Structures are given as C-alpha cells and as structure tokens.
Amino acid sequence: MTAFGFHASHEQIHPAKLLEAVVHAERVGFDAAMCSDHFSPWSERQGQSGFAWSWLGAALQATNLSFGVVNAPGQRYHPAIIAQAIGTLGAMYPGRFWAALGTGEASNEHITGDVWPRKDVRSARLRECVDVIRALLAGEEVSHDGLVTVDRARLWTRPEEPPALVGAAVSVATARWCAEWADGLITVNAPVDHLRQMIDAYRDAGGRGPLHLQVHVSWAPEQGEAEAIAYEQWRSNVFAPPVCWDLETAEHFDVASADLPMSKVTDTVNVSSDLGRHVGWLEEYVELGFDQIALHHVGQEQRAFLDAFGAEVLPKVRPTA
C-alpha cells in the first residue's frame, strides 16, 4: 500500500513552524515525512533555509513518522560527515530514517568557494561518496583518494541496520544510473509517461527498493487563490536542468522567473481548488507503483492544506479494507 507523506519545505517555512506542521500532518493522517537539505531558498520570496539535520532530530522525536532527507555530499559536505549524520539518526530512530543522495545544485554548493564541477564530474564524485558512506555505515575504517579524500575515518556510533541510501533523479538516464548503487529511487512529479519511463529504466537496470515521489501541489478553496500561491512561491522552481543546477543565488532565480507565464508553473505544480482533481492526480501516481508519495503544498501556510487533504484526499486514495 502506498504511504503518503508530508514534504517539509525548509526553504519556505521557519523551522519552528515547520515542526508544528509535521506534528499536525501526523495528527490528520499522513504516514511519513521528508525534506531537502538546502543552504539557500529558490527565491527571496520564500525567505527561509533552516538546517535540515538539526530539524530532523527534533521532528523524529516529536512524531512517530518515518523521515527522509535529500542531500548532496561531496562539496558542501564531506561524505564522512554525512555518514555520521545518517548513522546517528539511524541509531536513535531505527527503521524510521532514509537518505536520498544526489549531485546537488550550485545555489547550495557555491558557498564553499570551490569550482562547481561539470555534471559528469559531479556524478563521479557522488558515486565515490556513496561508496565511502556505505563502508563507514558498515563499520569499516575508510581511506580514499579521488574526487573526495578520506583519511582513516571510522564511525563509532552506528545503527544495527544501515538506513537506505536512495538515488535522486529527474531524468531517465540518471534513474538508470542510480540502479547501480541505490536502495530505492526518488523523483518529482512529471507527466505520467515520463515517470513511467523513469521507473522502467530503474527497474530494468536492476534497481531495487522502494519508489518515492515528491509531488508539488497548490490548493486553496478558490482557484484564483491556488494559482496565486503557486505563482508567487514556486515560479522560480520550474526550470529544467541544467538551469536549476547552475544558477547560484535566489536573486538569479527571481530574475530568471520574473516574467514566467502561469502555464509554466502548472507544468510543475498540480494547481487546483478541486480536491477531487488532486485525488485523480494521486491515483495516477499510485497506479504507476510508487511506494511513497510526499505531498508538498507550495504555500507558506500549511494548516488548511493538511486539514483538507487529511479529511478529503488521503481517505480516497487509500484502499479500503
């Protein structure tokens, strides 16, 4: 049965309010939660960017939900530090935590002052990081010389069962590549045909484990309000690679999206005041075979969305006993 999660958007919401939101999400019937580990928002209008790892400890303690985080080791983070973070949360909250690993975006990674590598170099660097993290979580002492350097690292606090390391992908080619190393796949909502191609590529290449989908939605009681929320908060997030990978600041995203038509936003965000329409979208994703679907309401106020979806949407997309 597909689990339905709440995506906690650190880029848009103060971490204290986000903690209140995830507690409420569990109360109204969500099964899980996830977030992304970013240093910068995608727009100055979003206006936040809390530290995901600090928040995750609080959120895991405050709820009984399972949690995932999307992270990019290799530039802003040394992989041994990410292995330690994963290992500690896994040891404290067994079976409730997973981490998705990706190649990252310049908007978060440029802060180190290091050169932002080409995509092929970033992919090779991530692959090295995955091997380092797995070895550390397995209890090995790790030394490594390559695109990342590790000297005699060892994790002293580890979970009995290492948390899943999930591959983050938005393209068919990346989904196929993730099958080499990942314990599952995560992607974002896209046309059904594209999602089906990604799933097929991952599974046909031997990809194992659960399939995760993050779904951007905008809902409000009135259609005009739902559209206004999506346009105001999420039009800076609609750019396909390589633009979304390579722009460096929130200001850059705001300039690039200043005159974007609403049609581009609705290509990325499921915008509707009709809860039945949202049920229909989710049913399509369930039919594709996703094991967990995390809903991200792109507005900054979450309570009305959580109440409406908890009461009117989640019961209709879960199979009856």
Side-chain angles (χ1 to χ4, degrees):
M1 184 173 70
T2 302
F4 290 91
F6 169 65
H7 178 82
S9 181
H10 290 288
E11 305 94 325
Q12 297 177 276
I13 304 168
H14 187 283
K17 288 188 65 178
L18 203 56
L19 187 61
E20 294 175 2
V22 78
V23 169
H24 192 64
E26 181 180 36
R27 189 177 298 130
V28 301
F30 283 78
D31 307 306
M34 65 166 290
C35 64
S36 295
D37 175 14
H38 292 161
F39 193 85
S40 171
W42 303 92
S43 166
E44 292 186 357
R45 294 182 304 278
Q46 293 174 354
Q48 297 288 335
S49 199
F51 186 50
W53 295 98
S54 300
W55 184 86
L56 281 163
L60 281 156
Q61 183 63 28
T63 71
N64 292 305
L65 301 175
S66 64
F67 280 80
V69 64
V70 182
N71 171 264
Q75 184 156 331
R76 184 167 40 117
Y77 293 111
H78 192 280
I81 299 302
I82 295 304
Q84 186 182 31
I86 292 171
T88 297
L89 289 178
M92 293 179 69
Y93 304 102
R96 290 178 54 202
F97 179 69
W98 52 271
L101 304 179
T103 56
E105 300 96 6
S107 60
N108 302 302
E109 311 305 325
H110 78 90
I111 62 167
T112 65
D114 295 329
V115 171
W116 179 236
R118 301 186 311 272
K119 173 61 174 173
D120 62 319
V121 177
R122 301 199 304 271
S123 295
R125 182 174 66 181
L126 174 60
R127 190 68 182 83
E128 291 184 16
C129 289
V130 169
D131 289 344
V132 168
I133 292 168
R134 283 202 189 281
L136 288 169
L137 290 171
E140 300 176 23
E141 180 180 281
V142 176
S143 294
H144 178 82
D145 297 291
L147 293 168
V148 293
T149 300
V150 185
D151 178 40
R152 293 167 294 176
R154 176 183 172 189
L155 287 187
W156 294 87
T157 299
R158 297 182 293 110
E160 291 186 10
E161 184 72 23
L165 302 183
V166 174
V170 295
S171 72
V172 172
T174 301
R176 185 178 298 110
W177 173 73
C178 286
E180 299 175 10
W181 59 266
D183 299 320
L185 183 73
I186 186 168
T187 190
V188 296
N189 59 303
V192 167
D193 286 346
H194 178 74
L195 293 175
R196 186 178 292 112
Q197 290 174 36
M198 290 192 65
I199 293 170
D200 290 346
Y202 181 71
R203 292 300 193 206
D204 290 348
R208 63 188 186 277
L211 301 171
H212 296 261
L213 179 67
Q214 180 187 348
V215 179
H216 304 302
V217 308
S218 184
W219 173 84
E222 300 297 330
Q223 181 67 21
E225 184 183 359
E227 292 175 0
I229 289 169
Y231 194 76
E232 196 269 344
Q233 278 292 297
W234 213 247
R235 70 177 183 269
S236 55
N237 294 64
V238 304
F239 301 109
V243 175
C244 60
W245 293 337
D246 293 340
L247 293 183
E248 292 185 338
T249 69
E251 181 183 11
H252 290 169
F253 281 95
D254 282 337
V255 170
S257 62
D259 300 315
L260 206 74
M262 184 66 192
S263 60
K264 291 294 185 182
V265 179
T266 55
D267 285 344
T268 302
V269 183
N270 292 345
V271 181
S272 182
S273 61
D274 180 359
L275 291 170
R277 185 72 185 95
H278 288 284
V279 169
W281 278 315
L282 293 177
E283 287 176 337
E284 289 181 327
Y285 304 141
V286 170
E287 184 67 24
L288 287 172
F290 284 100
D291 299 287
Q292 185 173 122
I293 298 173
L295 303 180
H296 170 214
H297 172 53
V298 300
Q300 291 179 304
E301 297 299 326
Q302 298 292 308
R303 180 62 70 102
F305 153 75
L306 290 170
D307 286 341
F309 274 62
E312 301 295 336
V313 174
L314 297 187
K316 294 177 181 176
V317 294
R318 290 180 172 133
T320 56

